[in-house]
Structure formats: structure tokens, C-alpha cells
Amino acid sequence: MQKLFPRQLYGLVRRLHYASLILSFRPVRIVMSDSRRNLFTQWLITLLVFAQQLPAQTTALRVGLITPAYSAAAASIDRGVRLGALEAKHTANLFGGDVLLFEEKAAGNLERAAERLLSKGKVQVLIGSSVRDADALSRFAETHQIIFFNVASRAPTLRAACRRFTFHVEAGDSMYAIASGRGQSSQAAPNTVLWAATLERYGASQINNRFRARYHNPMDGGAWAGWFAVKIASEAALRAHSVNPGAILFLLENPSTSFDGHKGWPLSFRSWDHQLRQPLYVVSRGASATGAGVRDVPQLSTISGGSTGRTNASQALDVLMPKSAPRCSWARL
Amino acid sequence: MTKRTCLLVIAALGATAYPSDAAGQAGSLIAVSNELGHTVTLIDARTLKVVRNIGLPQRPRGIAFTPDGSRIFVALSDPNVRRQGGGDAIVAIDVRANKISALFPAGSDPERFAITPDGKRMYSANEDGNSVTATDIPSRREIASLVVGIEPEGVGITPDGRWCYVTAETSNSVSVVDVNANKVVANFLVDVRPRAVAFAPDGKRAYVTAEIGGTLSVIDTKSRTVINTVALEGRQGKPVGVAVSPDGKWVYVANGNASVVSVIDAARNAVVGRIPVGKRPWGIAVSPDGRTIYTADGLSDTMSVIDATTRKVTATVKVGRQPWGVAVSPR
């Protein structure tokens, strides 16, 4: 985006665009007195300044969030998404772009809420904070070819549906079960989590601090997933130089693409089931507020440079991949 | 800055001096900031003896000598990483007197900073403020606060003093500040989670480490574009500190997770050597004559001393708890 639209060049193009609109592309010979000329110049400058302040529509990533009537878990995800959008906007603004968040309450009619986000918000990315809505929104996103980030559902059925435009930031049930040492088919222990508010290393304390400062609540797994989904979407758009869902999708599927979720690992999506590779955390009963008693699975210390590579990092994280993970045959776009 | 910090620093201003025979020659003194120990360790580069440990009121991280070598600047943050803005400042340690001689405003949570070659201005990254603060050193006044990416960390100034580069860990960005105008004039993306930045002596190349990407981004400073991305330690080394040899031929990177220093041939942008050092090296510095490399080994509480010719560790010096940064006196 920076290469294509350096801020100054982008501003200049927009000024010329609006100036050309004003003059209707016709060479106009204007004869006027000095005072009139000054007035005209001032008016033109005012208009151009106004045009400059308009949102950069062509480079704005538009994210839609659908929230349920009320759910504590969903409320936490919502907060994460909002923080993610604020931070993504900050970064996008550096490059002359923007990130806009549109919110809709499902309020009994999920399809209509999603339609509103699409028609009015023109969103390229969809997130739903209710676990109940995940499958329907995934289906909706597939139909309309926009990216859907699953940040709430652990259901294997959603993963087995193999929808090309759906990416799973939340870990699957089996991943939790494997991480908690209970095998692939049994239930995960409740103390195995996606994120812990006591994590400190690799920027974890910084994002935990930012979340706590804004919402006066600890960042839990849902909040982290919401925040990270927006971060992934906006980074992908920046690196792809495009907010087009197809361009974002190809970048997310590229095996060389990785993201920093402040977990210390390069995180990437498995190309065959769109599940985010990531460590989970097992929290001991006596875990302290300083992060002691929180164990990462797999442990980051198991890879320490040398002969291991990005592929090996992915392989190391795939210890959490269940044998039942689908091998999707994606429909061609 | 809080009242508490002021009081602690004022108390520290009265610290007693020590005979500083080590000071005065290029590369004669090495300074290590110890993040957990809240100290700066001064080491005689010739004898490798610890000259003195200077206690600090807060958590020290970024460390650098002033260009004339007369003072050591140290960035201080609140010891509680969960608390923001508790005791943030940059202090100056007078090398001759060996005591804290000045206190500078540096915005919130300063981590790394850089001083212009004329010694008149300092730029510090405000990690929790998404900004970089410009401070006028003679008057000790903050003169600008500029918006950069999220979680800014690395700060570097081109050898001609014209441009300041600021990395941002969450945004994966580098912001370019025009030092004359005190304005951000460009931003560009680098690899994932950029940490430190260093420049070639001729200023034509900048080098940025990416901790999660596991790479070194090589930047053409004229076009401000990444022209090469060098994979380090199979991308799993967690590179942080970076330093360039005075002749510009070699780039040295401290890989925190691999406990290895990578040697990169700057002409080919290729890794040509790996030097095992202490655990979790972050800070790295090269002596002015280019013969010696030093690393601050965070989990060994040591400083490794490397012979740049043989690329072997020749000595290990015990310093304070959890060393973070290392700097060598320029004269």
C-alpha cells in the first residue's frame, strides 16, 4: 500500500480528482478580479482540505462484527475486536489506509444483520462473537465471498464444513483436548485456555496492559481471538496491498505468511483446513498473578533456532493437530 | 515522571565517585544495563574487570554513550511491567564522576533511544504511547512527540544525523523521522515483530531485526524499501540486537532464543558465521576498532566478549541480574 499509495502521492491524487470533478474535466478560462480570484482560491483550498479529510475509501478495510443480545463470553470477544480495530486503524493510517468497524446486533435475525453489514457497511471481513452464530455466518461469508474469522466456535463440524472463506482463530475442541493431555476424543480440561491475562513474554504483557487499561478487565481467550482476528485481517490487507477478500484469502493461505499474536511463535493458518496454528496454555490451580503456573503447549523452548525453520515451527505447533482434522478440497475461486 | 522517581534519582545523584582510569580512550569502557538488577555495570575493556555497579531507581533497558563519550544515557521504566508510566525517564551517568548527573524527560515507558551525532538531540521510543519523543539534550526539554506504529522499540539515527528510524513491534513498521523538521515523513513494513535498527557507516543501508519473523531486513535508505530479508537461525533464533562493524563489512545479530550471534556479510547479505554465546543475548555492541563484539546475555547474567577475527568467545564477564543492553565508549 505504501508503495502504491505513498501518503503524499495519495493526497495529491485525491486533490486532483476533486479538482477535476469541480472543473468537470473541461478546460475553463476564468477571468476574474484579484479579490474574486482570492475568494475562489480560498474556496478551492477549503474544498480540497475537506476532500483530504474524507476517509480513504479505496484503501479502507471494512470489518463487520455481529454481536448477540447478551453473552458474557461474546462481550469479551467484542471488546477484543474493538481494541483490534482501533490498533489496526492506527497502523493503517500510517500507510494512508484505514480500518473501519461496523457493528450489528443479531437481534433474532442473523441473516438480516449480516445483510445490513454487507449492503451498508460493504464489509470485506466478518466476525461473529456468538458461538451459536458461527456456522450461519460462515455459510453467509462463503455465499458472498467475504472473509469470516471464527473466533468463538471450537466445533469440529464447522471445520469439517471446509468453507474456503472461513478461517479459525479459535482452537478446535480436539486441540484443547490434546493440549490438556486428555487425548484426541475426550473433553479438554477447563484450565486449558487460548490466552491468559498473566502472560508476559514476547509482548504479551503489553497487549494485556493495553486491554486492561481500556476495559478494566483481564484479556481472556475470547478477547485475544477477537483482537487477533482484526490484526490478522489488517496486516494481510497491508501486505497484500489490497482490501479485496480474495487477495486477503490468498495471503492467509500462503505457507510463508505468519503473524505475531504475542505468543512468541510465528502463527499461520494450515492451508488444508484454515485452522490457526498456535500454542495453548495450561493454567495450574495455584497459578500466580505474575504468570507462574502457566505452561505453554507445545513449549516454545522445544524449538531454539539452529536447524529448525519456519516449516519446523509449523510442524511443532501441529502436535495439537487432531488426526481427525479435515483435509479440505477447496473450491476454485 | 513521578514524584517518586524524582526523589529516587535525586538520591542517586549523590552517589560517590570512583577513580575512572578506564575512561578516556576509544572503546576503553563498556556499560551494561541490568534490567532485573536495576544497575548499570561498568567494565574496563582492557582488563575486563568490573569497575563499578551503579544502582538505579528503576528498570534500565536502553543504554548508549554520548558521542563525546562523556556520559552514558540509560532508559528507565517502572519495575512492574504491569504498571504503566510509574517511573519513566532517561538518566545520564557522568563517566568521569561515575554518578547520575542529569534526568531527561523521554515520554512514557522509554525502551530504546538514539542520540544524534552532534550530541544535541535524543529520540526515545515510548513503548506504551505509540510515539517517539524528541528531547533537546542541552536544555533537557521535550521538543516533540511524534506518532509512530504500535509498541515502538528500536531507534536509530543515520550517521549523518539526518534521519531517525523507529521500529514498532505490533505494527511491523518502521517510521522515518526527518530530524531537521521533527516530522514523520515515511513508513514502511518489515518482517514480523521488528526490534532493533542499526545503520551501515555510510548510511546507505539500515538493518532491522524481526523477532518473530526470525530475520534481518536489509533496507535501502535512499528508496526506503526492504531489499533483502535474511533468515537467521532457521527463523527461530528470535533476533533482537544488531550492530554493524565500523568498516561496514559485517553485521552482527544477537539471537535471543538461539543464544547465538549471527555474522552477516554485508556485501552479500549472507550469513557467514554463528557464534554461540551466553543465554538469551539481546544487547550487542562492537568496539570502535571493530576487533571485539560484546553481548548482554540476559539469562546468564553475563557479558560475552567475542574476538571478531576468530569469531570465538574469548571471555565471559559476570554482570548484574538480567543484562539487557550493552554500549562501548566511542572515545
Side-chain angles (χ1 to χ4, degrees):
Chain A
M1 202 174 291
Q2 168 68 6
K3 206 171 181 180
L4 294 176
F5 289 105
R7 183 168 279 187
Q8 295 87 346
L9 180 62
Y10 181 74
L12 182 66
V13 167
R14 263 199 299 170
R15 282 184 195 133
L16 289 172
H17 173 66
Y18 283 98
S20 64
L21 283 178
I22 294 160
L23 299 172
S24 302
F25 295 97
R26 282 176 295 178
V28 180
R29 185 174 180 140
I30 303 168
V31 180
M32 53 183 131
S33 65
D34 282 354
S35 60
R36 277 196 169 187
R37 188 175 292 123
N38 287 342
L39 195 66
F40 176 77
T41 307
Q42 280 178 15
W43 174 77
L44 192 62
I45 288 170
T46 306
L47 202 65
L48 293 181
V49 167
F50 174 72
Q52 176 73 15
Q53 288 168 348
L54 286 173
Q57 298 290 336
T58 52
T59 55
L61 179 73
R62 305 164 82 86
V63 179
L65 170 65
I66 294 190
T67 64
Y70 179 74
S71 147
S76 192
I77 292 174
D78 294 342
R79 287 192 283 265
V81 170
R82 289 172 195 137
L83 180 61
L86 280 173
E87 296 194 349
K89 186 183 190 72
H90 179 102
T91 299
N93 286 169
L94 296 177
F95 297 93
D98 206 352
V99 173
L100 305 171
L101 178 66
F102 300 86
E103 293 191 33
E104 285 283 348
K105 284 238 182 288
N109 195 329
L110 188 64
E111 182 89 8
R112 189 174 292 173
E115 288 284 4
R116 277 197 300 271
L117 285 175
L118 199 58
S119 59
K120 290 184 183 173
K122 308 210 179 316
V123 299
Q124 300 106 355
V125 172
L126 189 61
I127 298 171
S129 54
S130 168
V131 63
R132 287 185 188 171
D133 299 339
D135 188 61
L137 291 179
S138 165
R139 217 183 300 256
F140 179 90
E142 195 73 3
T143 303
H144 296 280
Q145 302 210 328
I146 58 173
I147 304 289
F148 172 64
F149 283 109
N150 166 34
V151 295
S153 172
R154 303 177 180 185
T157 49
L158 181 60
R159 285 145 180 91
C162 288
R163 296 190 187 107
R164 183 100 189 247
F165 282 82
T166 294
F167 290 83
H168 308 280
V169 177
E170 170 62 288
D173 263 339
S174 309
M175 291 171 71
Y176 281 96
I178 295 168
S180 57
R182 297 191 175 195
Q184 303 213 9
S185 55
S186 54
Q187 286 284 305
N191 60 346
T192 303
V193 295
L194 199 64
W195 181 259
T198 53
L199 293 171
E200 290 187 348
R201 296 184 68 195
Y202 299 106
S205 64
Q206 281 79 5
I207 182 58
N208 274 327
N209 284 343
R210 295 202 294 272
F211 187 87
R212 196 180 290 110
R214 177 165 287 273
Y215 300 111
H216 309 291
N217 270 296
M219 187 178 224
D220 61 14
W224 177 86
W227 166 80
F228 193 45
V230 183
K231 185 175 191 281
I232 289 170
S234 58
E235 276 183 36
L238 271 177
R239 293 205 185 270
H241 304 287
S242 172
V243 295
N244 181 290
I248 293 172
L249 183 147
F250 285 128
L251 195 120
L252 298 183
E253 284 185 345
N254 188 328
S256 66
T257 301
S258 64
F259 299 93
D260 176 23
H262 296 216
K263 289 188 169 192
W265 295 76
L267 307 182
S268 59
F269 287 101
R270 285 200 297 259
S271 59
W272 58 87
D273 65 351
H274 287 186
Q275 174 65 57
L276 184 73
R277 296 183 177 97
Q278 59 181 317
L280 298 177
Y281 301 94
V282 179
V283 183
S284 305
R285 186 169 289 176
S288 73
T290 57
V294 178
R295 181 169 56 87
D296 54 337
V297 184
Q299 288 186 291
L300 185 59
S301 57
T302 57
I303 59 160
S304 56
S307 59
T308 56
R310 182 172 294 193
T311 310
N312 301 71
S314 298
Q315 286 170 352
L317 288 169
D318 276 343
V319 298
L320 296 183
M321 183 177 72
K323 285 177 184 156
S324 58
R327 292 255 170 195
C328 299
S329 300
W330 303 116
R332 289 187 69 178
L333 294 177
Chain B
M1 192 180 316
T2 63
K3 190 178 173 185
R4 178 168 146 254
T5 313
C6 283
L7 290 171
L8 287 167
V9 171
I10 288 164
L13 288 171
T16 50
Y18 82 102
S20 56
D21 296 338
Q25 292 176 348
S28 58
L29 196 63
I30 307 155
V32 177
S33 60
N34 302 300
E35 185 178 9
L36 217 58
H38 295 189
T39 56
V40 164
T41 303
L42 298 182
I43 299 153
D44 184 321
R46 189 172 49 84
T47 64
L48 294 178
K49 298 274 187 222
V50 173
V51 178
R52 185 182 163 93
N53 281 302
I54 297 176
L56 293 165
Q58 305 289 347
R59 183 165 61 106
R61 289 187 289 177
I63 188 164
F65 278 82
T66 52
D68 65 3
S70 66
R71 293 190 287 181
I72 302 163
F73 281 34
V74 188
L76 301 180
S77 295
D78 197 288
N80 185 347
V81 295
R82 290 163 199 280
R83 196 164 54 210
Q84 297 175 304
D88 307 332
I90 288 180
V91 294
I93 297 169
D94 187 290
V95 173
R96 289 275 172 204
N98 271 294
K99 63 179 186 180
I100 295 172
S101 60
L103 187 67
F104 294 88
S108 66
D109 200 16
E111 186 166 353
R112 290 180 192 264
F113 61 89
I115 301 169
T116 51
D118 63 6
K120 290 182 178 170
R121 198 181 295 171
M122 170 170 63
Y123 288 87
S124 49
N126 305 121
E127 193 175 37
D128 64 7
N130 305 338
S131 61
V132 61
T133 299
T135 305
D136 180 64
I137 291 176
S139 67
R140 289 190 228 165
R141 279 181 46 242
E142 178 184 319
I143 53 174
S145 176
L146 309 171
V147 174
V148 293
I150 298 170
E151 268 184 71
E153 169 154 341
V155 186
I157 293 173
T158 50
D160 63 2
R162 186 74 178 81
W163 311 102
C164 173
Y165 281 33
V166 185
T167 71
E169 293 167 284
T170 294
S171 296
N172 303 320
S173 61
V174 174
S175 297
V176 181
V177 178
D178 180 334
V179 170
N180 291 347
N182 258 339
K183 192 178 171 188
V184 175
V185 293
N187 297 281
F188 57 87
L189 290 174
V190 287
D191 206 356
V192 183
R193 198 166 185 82
R195 297 289 303 259
V197 55
F199 290 92
D202 63 6
K204 289 181 178 171
R205 296 282 180 270
Y207 301 95
V208 175
T209 53
E211 189 176 26
I212 298 299
T215 60
L216 180 75
S217 297
V218 182
I219 294 137
D220 175 66
T221 53
K222 194 174 178 186
S223 62
R224 292 169 187 151
T225 53
V226 176
I227 56 169
N228 210 316
T229 302
V230 183
L232 304 169
E233 291 296 304
R235 297 179 186 265
Q236 300 309 317
K238 304 278 187 287
V240 174
V242 57
V244 184
S245 63
D247 60 8
K249 288 182 177 173
W250 313 106
V251 183
Y252 303 108
V253 178
N255 294 278
N257 198 40
S259 300
V260 158
V261 168
S262 297
V263 184
I264 294 109
D265 180 338
R268 297 189 292 130
N269 291 324
V271 179
V272 292
R274 65 190 301 269
I275 308 164
V277 293
K279 286 182 188 167
R280 207 211 69 179
W282 273 5
I284 188 165
V286 186
S287 62
D289 63 9
R291 289 180 185 169
T292 315
I293 307 155
Y294 305 99
T295 60
D297 311 326
L299 300 183
S300 302
D301 295 347
T302 56
M303 179 190 76
S304 293
V305 182
I306 301 162
D307 182 318
T309 309
T310 62
R311 294 175 187 161
K312 299 248 188 277
V313 172
T314 54
T316 301
V317 181
K318 194 82 181 161
V319 292
R321 288 174 64 204
Q322 205 164 303
W324 193 97
V326 58
V328 188
S329 60
R331 56 182 67 182

